[in-house]
Amino acid sequence: LVEGEAGIGKTTLVATTLERAPTDGVVPLIGECSAIEKTTPYYPWRSVLWHALRLDSMIDAAARRDQVLRHHESDPALVKMAPLLNTILPLDFPDNEIVSQLPARARADNLHNLVASLLRTRARQKPLAIVLDDVQWLDSASWRLARLVSQRTVPLVLLLVMRPLPAPQPAEYRQFREHPDTRCLALDTLTRQETIDLVRKHLGVARLSDTLADYLWERSQGNPFFAEELANYLREAGLICV
């Protein structure tokens, strides 16, 4: 669980992690939350499952359904629950008598079990790294699914990236954060020297003038994104010369 304010370096950290993932034999799967879609159940899981099930090259719903069913040919019980995946993916499975009679809570539980099983099957082929970004906008159903997937999918790294949540925090978030297997990384602002070193490397220079260093530190207050963007602006405006 990676937490930090806007511009603090979360995106850079995730990008660096994903660059290493293929080298380490890990399959990266990315789902991005959205403020606009924060009330849409399972929105970030669409992309994760789409790529996990290798549906990219499937041109019609029938081919996609066949691809999904191949993952559970040996488990008839899970095959019968396949229509539940219509909630997340455009698969258009026809409803059946079993699924149509499930109450809402049972539908959610069975859907979560089905997704966890699909990802577990995929992870047995190659380790997975699932990244959910901007999870401050994650819906409650997705929080519960994330917790179940983290417990049942091996080998897996589940990386949740977010801005700090204001109080009152959702119960699903607190349960995830307080789980003994969850590691929390809070990204904080840089020190003055770290800010100077960052901008120096960004500009490709050996040193910064004291005047420029003071100005960047005072204006950015250790936010790496702000420091880099301010340095870019000063250079493009001709106010500093490299």
Side-chain angles (χ1 to χ4, degrees):
L1 190 63
V2 180
E3 295 181 292
E5 298 292 348
I8 209 67
K10 303 186 299 296
T11 300
T12 301
L13 178 62
V14 171
T16 303
T17 302
L18 294 181
E19 286 174 3
R20 290 184 53 186
T23 305
D24 295 337
V26 177
V27 176
L29 302 170
I30 305 170
E32 296 185 357
C33 304
S34 166
I36 298 175
E37 300 287 353
K38 62 183 179 181
T39 59
T40 303
Y42 309 111
Y43 178 76
W45 289 100
R46 294 178 182 178
S47 176
V48 171
L49 286 177
W50 187 266
H51 294 289
L53 298 174
R54 302 184 181 96
L55 301 178
D56 313 60
S57 59
M58 305 296 167
I59 59 175
D60 56 47
R64 292 193 290 266
R65 289 194 294 270
D66 290 341
Q67 176 76 349
V68 171
L69 292 176
R70 275 195 290 270
H71 282 75
H72 285 307
E73 290 176 331
S74 61
D75 194 334
L78 288 174
V79 169
K80 292 178 181 178
M81 293 297 167
L84 294 172
L85 289 171
N86 295 337
T87 306
I88 305 178
L89 295 173
L91 297 171
D92 298 328
F93 274 110
D95 223 353
N96 59 46
E97 186 176 352
I98 296 176
V99 170
S100 62
Q101 294 180 3
L102 290 174
R105 185 53 189 263
R107 290 178 69 92
D109 290 343
N110 280 279
L111 173 60
H112 294 177
N113 289 332
L114 181 56
V115 171
S117 178
L118 287 168
L119 292 174
R120 182 168 61 248
T121 300
R122 185 72 173 87
R124 287 171 180 166
Q125 300 166 8
K126 277 192 175 181
L128 301 180
I130 298 178
V131 178
L132 300 184
D133 199 6
D134 282 329
V135 297
Q136 68 271 10
W137 294 313
L138 196 64
D139 60 282
S140 58
S142 289
W143 273 114
R144 292 193 293 271
L145 177 56
R147 186 179 178 190
L148 184 68
V149 167
S150 70
Q151 294 170 349
R152 296 192 181 180
T153 307
V154 179
L156 168 74
V157 171
L158 179 60
L159 183 59
L160 305 186
V161 186
M162 63 186 297
R163 298 177 191 176
L165 287 176
Q169 296 168 336
E172 293 84 3
Y173 161 77
R174 295 197 306 270
Q175 292 169 356
F176 194 98
R177 183 184 178 89
E178 294 166 3
H179 193 277
D181 289 337
T182 300
R183 299 183 183 181
C184 300
L185 176 61
L187 301 186
D188 204 349
T189 53
L190 304 179
T191 65
R192 183 182 187 280
Q193 187 58 52
E194 288 169 343
T195 302
I196 293 171
D197 290 342
L198 176 71
V199 174
R200 181 177 55 77
K201 293 177 182 178
H202 180 68
L203 293 176
V205 298
R207 61 178 296 275
L208 303 180
S209 69
D210 292 339
T211 302
L212 178 58
D214 291 341
Y215 180 82
L216 291 170
W217 166 245
E218 290 170 4
R219 291 303 181 95
S220 72
Q221 289 298 301
N223 184 297
F225 176 77
F226 295 161
E228 289 184 342
E229 288 299 298
L230 183 55
N232 290 340
Y233 167 76
L234 294 173
R235 179 170 55 180
E236 292 169 3
L239 298 173
I240 62 174
C241 180
V242 175

